[in-house]
Amino acid sequence: MTLAVHVPEELSARVPAEQRGPGRDRGDVRLLVSRGTDVAQHTFRELPCLLRAGDLLVVNTSPTLAAAVDGRVGHARVVVHFSTRGDDGRWAVELRDPDGKGTTRARAGGPAGTRVRLPGGVQLVLEEPLGPGSGRLWWARVSAGGAVPGLLREHGRPIRYSYTERDQPLSVYQTVFALPSADGAGSAEMPSAARPFTPGLVAELVSRGVQFAPITLHTGVASAEAHEPPYPERFAVPEASARLINAVKAGDRRVIAVGTTAVRAVESAAGADGVVRARAGWTDLVVTPARGVRVVDGLLTGLHEPEASHLLMLEAVAGRAAIDRGYDEALRGRYLWHEFGDVHLILPSSGP
């Protein structure tokens, strides 16, 4: 799905909401609400009034990593984006060229055997592409004694794209739901749909009878230029969350995923019968309109670029007409895009 729209550069959110003026916090973003092709404009703080007692929000607990590290290939400066930790200890990485403005631009991947010198005497060796025909991401191994989690903690910084104004501390990229991972795994890019939640808003939602089901999906490095479909990612749906999701579905209440990562995880744990079972491992599921969704009734998500593969998932949840209508309204209302931008709540057309 490609939307026939153009997003003006000035609609890119360049700094987080809390840095746009005194007295503001993460929740000070706008909320576009779609129920079928009916669209309404709200603020994110109104979310508790837009949900029902008994609704279930599925939230991603993956922490964001300081996944960008400076390195050198020969005499050339590069930036390594650590994307995904493999079960064999290797990492899927993307090499980028610094652009002189604090961000990066695309760089041809490979070849096999390329050595990257990293801080602390660590070396990274590219071994093979992540998958057939993939030139951007490569499986790579660090030299003995080079533990990647420690390297990222000491020398890493959050991945930053050119539409943002400046570097931000890692805390800016953590959501209120993020939990540390015992093995140092996490998301290369923030599961950003949950960013506007604050502890106070979560408490208000709970007081109104809205429930939460935690899942984990460690999201990798998105393709800023090519908008590739998602590749395999590690996920876990715990037993307690699976039971809660099934109970909500059985009670004819709504399961609303917070972010496309939550959709991918829950739908990966659902059988053809729509029952969610505890699962952990890797998912290569791509949710498309042809595949559809078996569990998710609604979705809270950011605004995606017109070429983004995520839009196929949105269409699977709500239908093409609803997404077209919502994005037309977002452009007309000058909503802000990207991880620090405004958010879009997609509910079933039968909603209140």
Short mmCIF file of all heavy atoms in Angstrom, two decimals, residues 14-15 65-69 79 81 96-97 99-105 157-169 173 188-189 221 224-225 339-340:
data_model
loop_
_atom_site.label_atom_id
_atom_site.label_comp_id
_atom_site.label_asym_id
_atom_site.label_seq_id
_atom_site.Cartn_x
_atom_site.Cartn_y
_atom_site.Cartn_z
N ARG A 14 10.52 17.51 14.98
CA ARG A 14 11.97 17.62 15.09
C ARG A 14 12.48 17.44 16.50
O ARG A 14 13.64 17.08 16.71
CB ARG A 14 12.41 18.98 14.53
CG ARG A 14 12.10 19.13 13.03
CD ARG A 14 12.46 20.49 12.49
NE ARG A 14 13.87 20.83 12.65
CZ ARG A 14 14.84 20.37 11.86
NH1 ARG A 14 14.56 19.53 10.87
NH2 ARG A 14 16.08 20.72 12.06
N VAL A 15 11.64 17.69 17.50
CA VAL A 15 12.01 17.49 18.90
C VAL A 15 10.83 16.86 19.63
O VAL A 15 9.69 16.95 19.17
CB VAL A 15 12.41 18.82 19.59
CG1 VAL A 15 13.65 19.43 18.96
CG2 VAL A 15 11.26 19.80 19.58
N LEU A 65 17.67 0.63 22.72
CA LEU A 65 19.12 0.57 22.88
C LEU A 65 19.78 1.84 22.36
O LEU A 65 19.27 2.50 21.46
CB LEU A 65 19.68 -0.63 22.12
CG LEU A 65 19.15 -2.01 22.50
CD1 LEU A 65 19.72 -3.07 21.56
CD2 LEU A 65 19.48 -2.34 23.95
N ALA A 66 20.94 2.13 22.91
CA ALA A 66 21.81 3.17 22.34
C ALA A 66 22.57 2.51 21.21
O ALA A 66 23.74 2.13 21.33
CB ALA A 66 22.75 3.73 23.41
N ALA A 67 21.89 2.31 20.08
CA ALA A 67 22.32 1.33 19.06
C ALA A 67 23.26 1.88 18.01
O ALA A 67 23.68 1.13 17.12
CB ALA A 67 21.08 0.74 18.38
N ALA A 68 23.59 3.17 18.04
CA ALA A 68 24.49 3.75 17.05
C ALA A 68 25.87 3.95 17.65
O ALA A 68 26.01 4.57 18.71
CB ALA A 68 23.94 5.08 16.55
N VAL A 69 26.90 3.40 16.98
CA VAL A 69 28.28 3.48 17.46
C VAL A 69 29.18 3.93 16.32
O VAL A 69 29.08 3.42 15.20
CB VAL A 69 28.76 2.12 18.01
CG1 VAL A 69 30.20 2.21 18.51
CG2 VAL A 69 27.85 1.65 19.14
N VAL A 79 29.20 4.83 10.77
CA VAL A 79 28.37 4.66 11.96
C VAL A 79 27.72 3.29 11.84
O VAL A 79 27.11 2.97 10.81
CB VAL A 79 27.30 5.76 12.07
CG1 VAL A 79 26.42 5.51 13.30
CG2 VAL A 79 27.95 7.14 12.16
N HIS A 81 24.89 0.79 13.04
CA HIS A 81 23.60 0.65 13.71
C HIS A 81 23.42 -0.83 14.07
O HIS A 81 23.29 -1.66 13.18
CB HIS A 81 22.46 1.12 12.81
CG HIS A 81 22.40 2.60 12.64
ND1 HIS A 81 21.51 3.22 11.77
CD2 HIS A 81 23.10 3.60 13.22
CE1 HIS A 81 21.68 4.53 11.84
NE2 HIS A 81 22.64 4.79 12.69
N ARG A 96 26.42 2.86 8.05
CA ARG A 96 25.97 4.12 7.47
C ARG A 96 27.15 5.08 7.39
O ARG A 96 28.11 4.98 8.16
CB ARG A 96 24.88 4.75 8.32
CG ARG A 96 23.72 3.86 8.69
CD ARG A 96 22.57 3.92 7.75
NE ARG A 96 21.98 5.24 7.64
CZ ARG A 96 20.93 5.51 6.86
NH1 ARG A 96 20.40 4.55 6.12
NH2 ARG A 96 20.42 6.73 6.80
N ASP A 97 27.06 6.03 6.48
CA ASP A 97 28.07 7.08 6.37
C ASP A 97 27.61 8.30 7.16
O ASP A 97 26.45 8.72 7.04
CB ASP A 97 28.28 7.50 4.91
CG ASP A 97 29.04 6.45 4.11
OD1 ASP A 97 29.93 5.79 4.68
OD2 ASP A 97 28.73 6.29 2.92
N ASP A 99 26.95 12.12 7.82
CA ASP A 99 26.66 13.15 6.81
C ASP A 99 27.20 14.53 7.19
O ASP A 99 26.93 15.52 6.50
CB ASP A 99 25.15 13.24 6.55
CG ASP A 99 24.35 13.65 7.79
OD1 ASP A 99 24.96 13.92 8.83
OD2 ASP A 99 23.11 13.68 7.69
N GLY A 100 27.95 14.60 8.29
CA GLY A 100 28.51 15.87 8.72
C GLY A 100 27.53 16.75 9.47
O GLY A 100 27.89 17.86 9.89
N LYS A 101 26.29 16.29 9.64
CA LYS A 101 25.27 17.07 10.33
C LYS A 101 24.79 16.39 11.60
O LYS A 101 23.77 16.77 12.17
CB LYS A 101 24.07 17.31 9.40
CG LYS A 101 24.43 17.99 8.08
CD LYS A 101 23.22 18.04 7.16
CE LYS A 101 23.59 18.62 5.81
NZ LYS A 101 22.43 18.60 4.86
N GLY A 102 25.51 15.36 12.02
CA GLY A 102 25.12 14.63 13.22
C GLY A 102 24.23 13.44 12.93
O GLY A 102 23.88 12.69 13.84
N THR A 103 23.85 13.25 11.66
CA THR A 103 23.05 12.10 11.28
C THR A 103 23.81 11.31 10.21
O THR A 103 25.02 11.49 10.05
CB THR A 103 21.66 12.52 10.80
OG1 THR A 103 21.77 13.49 9.74
CG2 THR A 103 20.85 13.14 11.93
N THR A 104 23.13 10.43 9.49
CA THR A 104 23.82 9.54 8.57
C THR A 104 23.08 9.44 7.25
O THR A 104 21.93 9.85 7.14
CB THR A 104 23.95 8.12 9.17
OG1 THR A 104 22.62 7.61 9.41
CG2 THR A 104 24.74 8.12 10.47
N ARG A 105 23.77 8.85 6.27
CA ARG A 105 23.14 8.55 4.98
C ARG A 105 23.46 7.10 4.63
O ARG A 105 24.38 6.49 5.18
CB ARG A 105 23.63 9.50 3.89
CG ARG A 105 25.13 9.55 3.72
CD ARG A 105 25.54 10.46 2.57
NE ARG A 105 27.01 10.59 2.52
CZ ARG A 105 27.67 11.60 3.06
NH1 ARG A 105 27.02 12.57 3.68
NH2 ARG A 105 28.99 11.63 2.99
N ARG A 157 24.83 5.63 21.23
CA ARG A 157 23.85 6.71 21.34
C ARG A 157 22.61 6.27 20.56
O ARG A 157 22.70 5.40 19.69
CB ARG A 157 24.41 8.02 20.79
CG ARG A 157 24.77 7.97 19.31
CD ARG A 157 25.42 9.27 18.84
NE ARG A 157 25.78 9.18 17.43
CZ ARG A 157 26.89 8.63 16.96
NH1 ARG A 157 27.78 8.12 17.81
NH2 ARG A 157 27.13 8.59 15.66
N PRO A 158 21.47 6.86 20.83
CA PRO A 158 20.27 6.46 20.09
C PRO A 158 20.41 6.77 18.60
O PRO A 158 21.03 7.76 18.20
CB PRO A 158 19.16 7.31 20.71
CG PRO A 158 19.68 7.69 22.06
CD PRO A 158 21.15 7.83 21.89
N ILE A 159 19.84 5.90 17.78
CA ILE A 159 19.82 6.15 16.33
C ILE A 159 18.99 7.41 16.07
O ILE A 159 17.90 7.57 16.61
CB ILE A 159 19.21 4.93 15.60
CG1 ILE A 159 20.20 3.75 15.67
CG2 ILE A 159 18.88 5.28 14.16
CD1 ILE A 159 19.64 2.47 15.11
N ARG A 160 19.54 8.27 15.26
CA ARG A 160 18.88 9.54 14.96
C ARG A 160 18.81 9.73 13.46
O ARG A 160 19.77 9.46 12.74
CB ARG A 160 19.67 10.68 15.60
CG ARG A 160 19.13 12.06 15.28
CD ARG A 160 20.07 13.15 15.76
NE ARG A 160 19.81 14.37 15.00
CZ ARG A 160 20.69 15.33 14.81
NH1 ARG A 160 21.91 15.23 15.33
NH2 ARG A 160 20.37 16.39 14.09
N TYR A 161 17.66 10.22 13.00
CA TYR A 161 17.48 10.47 11.57
C TYR A 161 17.48 11.96 11.27
O TYR A 161 17.32 12.80 12.16
CB TYR A 161 16.21 9.78 11.07
CG TYR A 161 16.36 8.27 11.08
CD1 TYR A 161 15.62 7.48 11.93
CD2 TYR A 161 17.30 7.66 10.26
CE1 TYR A 161 15.78 6.10 11.95
CE2 TYR A 161 17.47 6.28 10.26
CZ TYR A 161 16.71 5.51 11.11
OH TYR A 161 16.88 4.15 11.13
N SER A 162 17.64 12.28 10.00
CA SER A 162 17.96 13.65 9.59
C SER A 162 16.83 14.65 9.85
O SER A 162 17.08 15.85 9.92
CB SER A 162 18.31 13.68 8.11
OG SER A 162 17.25 13.18 7.32
N TYR A 163 15.59 14.17 10.03
CA TYR A 163 14.50 15.12 10.28
C TYR A 163 14.50 15.64 11.70
O TYR A 163 13.77 16.58 12.03
CB TYR A 163 13.14 14.49 9.94
CG TYR A 163 12.91 13.13 10.57
CD1 TYR A 163 12.58 13.00 11.91
CD2 TYR A 163 13.03 11.97 9.81
CE1 TYR A 163 12.38 11.76 12.49
CE2 TYR A 163 12.82 10.73 10.37
CZ TYR A 163 12.50 10.62 11.71
OH TYR A 163 12.32 9.38 12.26
N THR A 164 15.29 15.04 12.60
CA THR A 164 15.33 15.52 13.99
C THR A 164 16.36 16.64 14.11
O THR A 164 17.28 16.77 13.32
CB THR A 164 15.68 14.39 14.96
OG1 THR A 164 16.93 13.79 14.58
CG2 THR A 164 14.60 13.32 14.95
N GLU A 165 16.19 17.44 15.15
CA GLU A 165 16.98 18.67 15.28
C GLU A 165 18.33 18.42 15.92
O GLU A 165 19.31 19.08 15.58
CB GLU A 165 16.17 19.68 16.11
CG GLU A 165 16.79 21.05 16.23
CD GLU A 165 15.85 22.01 16.92
OE1 GLU A 165 14.84 22.38 16.30
OE2 GLU A 165 16.13 22.37 18.08
N ARG A 166 18.40 17.50 16.86
CA ARG A 166 19.66 17.31 17.60
C ARG A 166 19.63 15.95 18.28
O ARG A 166 18.59 15.30 18.38
CB ARG A 166 19.83 18.41 18.66
CG ARG A 166 18.68 18.51 19.65
CD ARG A 166 18.88 19.64 20.65
NE ARG A 166 17.73 19.80 21.53
CZ ARG A 166 16.71 20.60 21.27
NH1 ARG A 166 16.69 21.30 20.14
NH2 ARG A 166 15.70 20.70 22.13
N ASP A 167 20.82 15.53 18.77
CA ASP A 167 20.91 14.31 19.56
C ASP A 167 20.09 14.46 20.85
O ASP A 167 19.99 15.56 21.41
CB ASP A 167 22.36 14.01 19.93
CG ASP A 167 23.16 13.45 18.75
OD1 ASP A 167 22.54 13.07 17.74
OD2 ASP A 167 24.39 13.40 18.85
N GLN A 168 19.54 13.34 21.29
CA GLN A 168 18.77 13.32 22.53
C GLN A 168 19.33 12.22 23.44
O GLN A 168 19.87 11.22 22.96
CB GLN A 168 17.29 13.01 22.23
CG GLN A 168 16.58 14.04 21.36
CD GLN A 168 16.23 15.29 22.12
OE1 GLN A 168 16.33 15.35 23.35
NE2 GLN A 168 15.79 16.31 21.39
N PRO A 169 19.19 12.37 24.76
CA PRO A 169 19.61 11.29 25.66
C PRO A 169 18.74 10.06 25.46
O PRO A 169 17.60 10.15 24.99
CB PRO A 169 19.44 11.90 27.05
CG PRO A 169 18.44 12.99 26.86
CD PRO A 169 18.66 13.53 25.48
N TYR A 173 14.09 8.24 24.49
CA TYR A 173 13.63 7.17 23.60
C TYR A 173 13.06 5.97 24.35
O TYR A 173 12.71 4.98 23.73
CB TYR A 173 14.78 6.71 22.71
CG TYR A 173 15.21 7.72 21.68
CD1 TYR A 173 16.17 8.68 21.96
CD2 TYR A 173 14.64 7.73 20.40
CE1 TYR A 173 16.56 9.61 21.01
CE2 TYR A 173 15.04 8.66 19.44
CZ TYR A 173 15.99 9.59 19.76
OH TYR A 173 16.37 10.52 18.82
N ALA A 188 16.33 -1.51 18.43
CA ALA A 188 17.24 -0.55 17.83
C ALA A 188 16.56 0.80 17.66
O ALA A 188 17.21 1.84 17.68
CB ALA A 188 17.74 -1.07 16.48
N GLU A 189 15.25 0.78 17.48
CA GLU A 189 14.47 2.00 17.36
C GLU A 189 13.27 1.92 18.30
O GLU A 189 12.68 0.86 18.48
CB GLU A 189 14.01 2.21 15.92
CG GLU A 189 15.19 2.41 14.97
CD GLU A 189 14.75 2.62 13.53
OE1 GLU A 189 13.54 2.61 13.26
OE2 GLU A 189 15.64 2.79 12.68
N VAL A 221 16.36 -2.13 12.93
CA VAL A 221 16.56 -0.86 12.24
C VAL A 221 15.65 -0.81 11.01
O VAL A 221 15.72 -1.67 10.13
CB VAL A 221 18.03 -0.71 11.81
CG1 VAL A 221 18.21 0.58 11.00
CG2 VAL A 221 18.94 -0.69 13.03
N ALA A 224 15.19 3.62 6.31
CA ALA A 224 14.77 5.01 6.15
C ALA A 224 14.60 5.40 4.69
O ALA A 224 13.86 6.32 4.37
CB ALA A 224 15.79 5.93 6.82
N GLU A 225 15.31 4.71 3.80
CA GLU A 225 15.28 5.08 2.38
C GLU A 225 14.40 4.16 1.54
O GLU A 225 13.66 4.62 0.68
CB GLU A 225 16.70 5.08 1.80
CG GLU A 225 17.61 6.18 2.35
CD GLU A 225 18.25 5.81 3.67
OE1 GLU A 225 18.30 4.61 4.00
OE2 GLU A 225 18.69 6.72 4.38
N GLU A 339 8.69 9.65 15.15
CA GLU A 339 8.65 9.10 16.50
C GLU A 339 8.32 10.13 17.58
O GLU A 339 7.85 9.78 18.66
CB GLU A 339 9.97 8.39 16.84
CG GLU A 339 11.19 9.29 16.93
CD GLU A 339 11.95 9.37 15.63
OE1 GLU A 339 11.33 9.26 14.55
OE2 GLU A 339 13.18 9.53 15.68
N PHE A 340 8.56 11.42 17.32
CA PHE A 340 8.21 12.45 18.29
C PHE A 340 6.91 13.16 17.92
O PHE A 340 6.59 14.20 18.47
CB PHE A 340 9.34 13.49 18.39
CG PHE A 340 10.65 12.92 18.87
CD1 PHE A 340 11.85 13.38 18.33
CD2 PHE A 340 10.70 11.95 19.85
CE1 PHE A 340 13.06 12.87 18.77
CE2 PHE A 340 11.90 11.43 20.30
CZ PHE A 340 13.10 11.89 19.75
#
